[in-house]
Amino acid sequence: MRSLPFTDAFLLPKGVYLDGNSLGPLSYAAQAAVERRMRQWHVHGVGAWDDWFGLAERLSPAIGRLVGAHADEVVATASITVNLHALLATFHRPEGRRRHLLATELDFPTDVHALQSWAELRGVEVRLVPSRDGHTLEDADLDAALTDEVAFAWLPTVLYRSGQALDVARWTRVGRERGALVGWDAAHSIGALPHAFHEWGVDVAAWCSYKYLNGGPGAPGGLFVHRRHHDAVPALRGWWGHDKASQFAMEPTFAKAAGAGAFQLGTPPILSLAGLEGALALFEETPIETVRARSLELTDALIARVDAVLPELTLVTPRAYERRGGHVALRHPEAAQLSKALRRRGVIPDFRRPDVLRLAPVAFYTTDADLDRAVAVLRELLDSGAHREEPLDGPIG
Ligand SMILES: Cc1ncc(COP(=O)(O)O)c(C=O)c1O
């Protein structure tokens, strides 16, 4: 076990990188893993499949540790959008009055698009838990929305804009008690927070690997299917979800793989999977609880600096540890221009419309000096107004 941060393990972009909740940086381990897979391609050509076959499944123990699952409950595959479609196709089973889908007003749009697709196909509604302030969700509203008319509830573990963390164990229990299947989008918690999906009784979940896992742009995400659902035959099938032992018998009948692997569809992108393979090795060097503890220290330190020297910015991320994810969201009417001006000065934040600046100090590579620098640049911009020279339109750089 090594102590954090592992700054020398990453090839960080120049400056202060605070956007690892959008795209995690390249690690030497990910680079080496991709180069190794490229070498195999070069040297062995198609023969490299002898090693690549089953690569996704070989990552399952490490991924299982990150989400608190048995290895056969997870698989690295596809994107959140694709995995959500696959999960909805199989696990949304409208029956009688229990037929509708539940999401939240604050979800990342792709989740709602996927839910809406299945709602239209199946003649049901997508109901959205309302947000009172446009940034966070209230327990009372979640409670009220989880009615006995919900067949499948799909919730975010951590809200992508505000960074509010939901109580996964609680809402899974409540939803299941009321007869719904409960699934989670763990994009903003995997690699940042510990999970116990199996123990909490979560039905299904999906995540991406390009944020806190640092798997690389478009790296395969993953999905979780609780063991109690392992009898379910995927409604969307492909040959990569076939039982591995007989996949190459090339029979037209589908003999499903045991466990979550059955939800894979087609050939995995080996080079992208290699990025994830390398990146996961860093998580084997430190327990996720340690990563979370350091992340909380960093977000505490950032929030304290904002309180002390940046009163113009309004914190929208909850302060309570159990409601705080891995990033800090700050509102300012000129957030778009501040984001561009920060980038120009070597501090990489990100911006989410209409007025939120997200700063993600990450346990693996962010230092206290990085926070000092980011806060100092923000203070200087707010004092000088120099950010107002940034164009209001065009890409948010
Ligand atoms: C919460 C959440 N869900 C889904 C996505 C994107 O899904 P996909 O991996 O299918 O592109 C993102 C991307 O940032 C996200 O933040």
Side-chain angles (χ1 to χ4, degrees):
M1 292 292 145
R2 269 205 288 163
S3 53
L4 292 164
F6 302 174
T7 24
D8 59 352
F10 289 87
L11 292 105
L12 290 166
K14 206 162 149 9
V16 175
Y17 196 67
L18 294 174
D19 209 359
N21 60 333
S22 185
L23 179 66
L26 176 65
S27 62
Y28 285 100
Q31 185 184 43
V34 173
E35 283 172 2
R36 172 164 172 251
R37 300 295 174 197
M38 285 177 65
R39 225 170 18 254
Q40 287 181 308
W41 178 21
H42 169 200
V43 174
H44 303 291
V46 73
W49 274 109
D50 290 348
D51 188 33
W52 297 341
F53 190 66
L55 178 59
E57 286 79 0
R58 297 204 294 275
L59 305 185
S60 294
I63 295 172
R65 281 189 280 282
L66 292 177
V67 297
H70 297 286
D72 63 355
E73 291 178 309
V74 297
V75 70
T77 186
S79 60
I80 294 177
T81 313
V82 169
N83 288 332
L84 178 52
H85 277 294
L87 294 172
L88 282 163
T90 308
F91 294 108
H92 170 228
R93 300 189 191 112
E95 268 175 39
R97 55 187 264 115
R98 191 187 314 289
R99 36 193 313 101
H100 301 295
L101 295 161
L102 183 71
T104 95
E105 268 183 11
L106 301 180
D107 284 348
F108 195 85
T110 203
D111 299 65
V112 184
H113 300 330
L115 290 161
Q116 198 62 52
S117 312
W118 289 91
E120 284 168 22
L121 282 165
R122 289 178 170 162
V124 306
E125 295 166 17
V126 179
R127 297 186 176 165
L128 299 178
V129 181
S131 165
R132 299 180 193 193
D133 63 1
H135 296 280
T136 54
L137 298 169
E138 300 280 334
D139 289 350
D141 296 327
L142 282 157
D143 192 61
L146 278 165
T147 67
D148 62 1
E149 294 185 351
V150 174
F152 185 107
W154 182 254
L155 300 169
T157 53
V158 171
L159 273 58
Y160 80 95
R161 194 185 285 121
S162 67
Q164 178 189 10
L166 298 187
D167 185 339
V168 178
R170 172 179 175 185
W171 298 115
T172 298
R173 193 181 61 248
V174 171
R176 287 183 50 76
E177 278 166 8
R178 295 178 190 172
L181 253 100
V182 184
W184 294 89
D185 176 334
H188 284 271
S189 59
I190 189 162
L193 280 73
H195 308 71
F197 280 168
H198 179 86
E199 188 191 318
W200 294 337
V202 165
D203 288 296
V204 293
W207 53 85
C208 55
S209 301
Y210 43 76
K211 300 180 186 293
Y212 294 101
L213 290 188
N214 313 310
L223 57 81
F224 165 89
V225 178
H226 197 282
R227 275 187 175 170
R228 69 171 161 272
H229 296 304
H230 283 191
D231 286 348
V233 178
L236 297 188
R237 292 168 213 150
W239 77 312
W240 225 265
H242 195 277
D243 175 32
K244 284 276 161 280
S246 53
Q247 180 174 335
F248 276 88
M250 306 305 245
E251 295 294 335
T253 46
F254 182 76
K256 75 176 200 65
F263 289 82
Q264 293 171 93
L265 293 170
T267 310
I270 294 298
L271 299 181
S272 291
L273 199 55
L276 174 60
E277 177 188 23
L280 282 172
L282 293 179
F283 287 89
E284 296 288 285
E285 294 187 41
T286 190
I288 188 67
E289 290 73 18
T290 309
V291 171
R292 172 62 169 165
R294 175 66 186 148
S295 162
L296 285 171
E297 261 174 40
L298 283 163
T299 50
D300 269 351
L302 179 55
I303 291 170
R305 284 162 170 79
V306 171
D307 286 343
V309 295
L310 299 170
E312 298 92 333
L313 297 174
T314 309
L315 178 72
V316 289
T317 308
R319 287 174 191 263
Y321 281 2
E322 66 279 8
R323 289 181 185 244
R324 192 193 303 170
H327 71 263
V328 172
L330 301 164
R331 288 183 73 191
H332 189 279
E334 294 158 353
Q337 288 169 303
L338 284 170
S339 173
K340 289 180 183 173
L342 282 164
R343 279 182 190 232
R344 203 181 289 288
R345 288 158 182 79
V347 175
I348 320 296
D350 92 10
F351 168 72
R352 283 289 175 265
R353 282 173 209 287
D355 59 358
V356 172
L357 204 55
R358 297 189 309 182
L359 304 176
V362 175
F364 280 111
Y365 50 81
T366 307
T367 63
D368 290 329
D370 289 337
L371 300 184
D372 289 338
R373 170 86 189 129
V375 169
V377 175
L378 265 169
R379 183 65 266 152
E380 182 225 291
L381 288 171
L382 290 166
D383 287 340
S384 67
H387 57 285
R388 298 204 187 100
E389 289 159 23
E390 298 291 336
L392 276 167
D393 52 358
I396 301 296

